[in-house]
Amino acid sequence: MGSREFFVLTLAAVVVFACHTDGRGQGIGDRNRASTGGGVTGNHTISGKVLRPDRKPAVGVKVTVNGSGFASITQTTDSEGEFSFGSIPKGSYVISVNAEGFQNEGERLVIERFASAGQAFQLLFNLRPGQENVGAATANQLLGGVPKDAVSRFEKGREKLSKDDAKGSLADFDAAIAAYPNFAAAYYEKGAAYLKLKDTDKATESFVKAITIKPDYVEAKYGYGLAQFQKKDYVVAAAAFNDVLQTKKDMPEAHLNLGISLFYLKNVEAAETELKSVISTKGGESFALAHLYLGQIYAQKKKNIEAASELQKYLDLAPKAPNADRIRTAIADLKKQS
């Protein structure tokens, strides 16, 4: 199989990583998706890595595994931001991450009764700034003149959303909106909640309402773009991300999602430009997906050396990605052809 054909197949396997950022610019949906890998024979293992918003390892962060009929166990991440729990039986678990100054993160994981003995499950957690910092400036600007009861329900909804209770937060956001119909921030957070619940249609409705109330609401425009991205409406998504970048030119997440959207629209040259912008933007050099898609583009152009280099950078940033073995094979194939 040639490198170009191989890459087409590979991209299907990594699409779960494409929607890695949420309306707040860090991550909604399957941000911390589990992947399976090899392991020693016997009990199961749950391991992974925790990254700060600047993509550096989060050191000394508490990671806890809870499960029904299972004694809760906690450990802290090491110097590489990594953790590992062994001797895990089959069952349903919640892996939670608690880091001071950041939002609590959590991921549900089910180890099925038919799972292979000794199977290892890997997770990647991307920390987000503490809830008081997430969109705080924008939200506070939009709280002026809002009745106290509406603000109270709004804050309750945001607290639930920060704890990954997206479904529970909706009632609070609806109550806030009922008390103050022009509550743009509440519509935005409602859209973020629907994105977490993978209801892109309702997320779109909420973001559009927020933008209608406040036309310069950049965060809502970004959320709208993400909803279209997740619906694979790349034409509309690209337009939305481009609009966001007119105001926030240094937003690597917007450049990344615009680049990926353009890639799927077969506008390879423009996609390459945007993906390079991700890497050149402060904090964007550690966005693994930018390197992955640049590798894909260079492979299409038969720039095998450049393609192999970008794919290696992707692996360096995401060594435990589900497609890691296939990417290693692709790199070897590209080097042979160069």
Side-chain angles (χ1 to χ4, degrees):
M1 179 182 293
S3 60
R4 295 184 64 184
E5 291 80 2
F6 177 85
F7 275 98
V8 172
L9 295 177
T10 299
L11 278 177
V14 301
V15 70
V16 294
F17 288 96
C19 303
H20 70 290
T21 49
D22 65 9
R24 298 181 177 83
Q26 289 297 331
I28 258 181
D30 295 337
R31 303 172 50 252
N32 308 317
R33 183 180 293 276
S35 64
T36 60
V40 297
T41 303
N43 292 327
H44 302 289
T45 300
I46 298 176
S47 60
K49 189 168 188 174
V50 183
L51 297 177
R52 296 165 54 88
D54 59 7
R55 313 302 292 176
K56 294 181 180 179
V59 181
V61 171
K62 290 184 178 180
V63 181
T64 302
V65 176
N66 288 287
S68 178
F70 176 82
S72 174
I73 51 177
T74 299
Q75 62 176 242
T76 56
T77 55
D78 61 18
S79 60
E80 297 298 321
E82 297 180 344
F83 61 89
S84 182
F85 298 90
S87 301
I88 305 296
K90 296 176 177 63
S92 179
Y93 301 94
V94 173
I95 299 86
S96 56
V97 176
N98 190 316
E100 185 175 353
F102 298 93
Q103 294 189 55
N104 293 332
E105 300 290 347
E107 181 67 48
R108 295 180 179 83
L109 173 66
V110 176
I111 302 179
E112 302 287 357
R113 58 183 177 80
F114 49 79
S116 302
Q119 194 168 3
F121 296 84
Q122 299 172 349
L123 297 166
L124 174 64
F125 289 92
N126 294 291
L127 294 178
R128 293 171 289 175
Q131 185 62 31
E132 66 277 8
N133 298 321
V134 177
T138 301
N140 290 337
Q141 291 175 5
L142 299 177
L143 295 183
V146 180
K148 290 184 177 180
D149 57 337
V151 173
S152 177
R153 292 303 296 269
F154 171 74
E155 294 296 351
K156 287 181 180 178
R158 287 216 304 171
E159 182 179 0
K160 290 179 181 177
L161 188 57
S162 72
K163 296 179 179 179
D164 285 330
D165 183 11
K167 187 175 182 180
S169 71
L170 290 173
D172 291 302
F173 294 137
D174 282 336
I177 292 168
Y180 187 69
N182 287 325
F183 204 160
Y187 276 110
Y188 163 70
E189 296 289 350
K190 184 178 177 181
Y194 276 125
L195 272 187
K196 276 184 172 287
L197 295 171
K198 301 181 182 179
D199 191 333
T200 53
D201 288 336
K202 290 185 178 178
T204 297
E205 292 175 8
S206 298
F207 289 131
V208 168
K209 185 64 177 179
I211 297 168
T212 300
I213 296 171
K214 183 175 172 54
D216 61 346
Y217 202 158
V218 177
E219 290 81 1
K221 290 181 179 180
Y222 182 73
Y224 172 79
L226 282 175
Q228 310 320 304
F229 186 96
Q230 292 185 15
K231 291 168 69 174
K232 298 184 180 181
D233 188 344
Y234 298 118
V235 172
V236 178
F241 294 132
N242 186 63
D243 189 19
V244 169
L245 289 168
Q246 300 307 306
T247 303
K248 300 187 70 173
K249 295 181 180 179
D250 60 346
M251 186 175 181
E253 297 91 344
H255 282 294
L256 175 66
N257 287 310
L258 175 56
I260 296 174
S261 297
L262 291 169
F263 175 88
Y264 286 123
L265 291 171
K266 302 185 185 303
N267 190 343
V268 177
E269 297 302 326
E272 181 180 350
T273 298
E274 290 301 325
L275 293 168
K276 286 181 177 178
S277 294
V278 177
I279 299 170
S280 63
T281 301
K282 183 179 180 181
E285 66 278 0
S286 296
F287 278 50
L289 275 180
H291 297 291
L292 177 65
Y293 279 88
L294 277 174
Q296 164 79 349
I297 289 172
Y298 291 144
Q300 289 184 359
K301 292 184 174 183
K302 296 190 179 300
K303 294 182 177 180
N304 295 342
I305 295 177
E306 292 89 338
S309 176
E310 290 299 331
L311 291 177
Q312 186 58 57
K313 291 175 183 177
Y314 167 72
L315 285 181
D316 291 342
L317 292 167
K320 297 181 180 179
N323 62 331
D325 288 341
R326 279 171 286 188
I327 294 298
R328 291 188 186 95
T329 300
I331 292 172
D333 186 32
L334 286 165
K335 288 181 177 179
K336 289 178 181 178
Q337 297 180 38
S338 60

